[in-house]
Amino acid sequence: VRVGLLVGRGVVELQSLAGEEHHVVLREGLRAAYKTLARMYHPDRFAGSDLPPEVEEYINTMARRINNAYSELIGLFGGEPT
């Protein structure tokens, strides 16, 4: 699914190019969602667990993807990640 971005004062509008979906994201909402996902997939949460290597790799990959996505999206607001 391709997404178009419209950036304005503290708000990012995400709209699919076909126009079926439309989401308005506030900076505060983005940060709250990031913190929730970052806690859920933080590798330290699973430290000491006897997980299979493929599960550990999945957790690490998800943590990297979440951090990268947040950095890119917060950059749309013209700010640094907090």
Side-chain angles (χ1 to χ4, degrees), residues 24-73:
V24 175
V25 180
L26 299 177
R27 182 184 181 112
E28 295 79 23
L30 177 62
R31 182 164 193 238
Y34 165 73
K35 289 177 85 173
T36 298
L37 288 171
R39 276 192 292 269
M40 187 181 306
Y41 286 101
H42 198 283
D44 289 348
R45 181 172 177 219
F46 302 96
S49 298
D50 190 23
L51 298 174
E54 59 272 9
V55 174
E56 288 181 11
E57 181 58 32
Y58 175 79
I59 292 167
N60 290 329
T61 299
M62 288 301 293
R64 280 192 304 274
R65 290 179 66 191
I66 291 163
N67 288 331
N68 291 339
Y70 178 70
S71 294
E72 284 190 40
L73 288 171

Side-chain angles (χ1 to χ4, degrees), residues 2-3 5-6 8-10 13 16 21-23 30 39-40 44 47 49 51 54 59 62-63 69 74-75 79 82:
R2 294 180 56 193
V3 175
L5 297 173
L6 301 171
R9 308 172 78 179
E13 293 184 37
S16 72
E21 296 180 39
H22 186 244
H23 302 281
L30 177 62
R39 276 192 292 269
M40 187 181 306
D44 289 348
S49 298
L51 298 174
E54 59 272 9
I59 292 167
M62 288 301 293
I74 207 69
T82 55

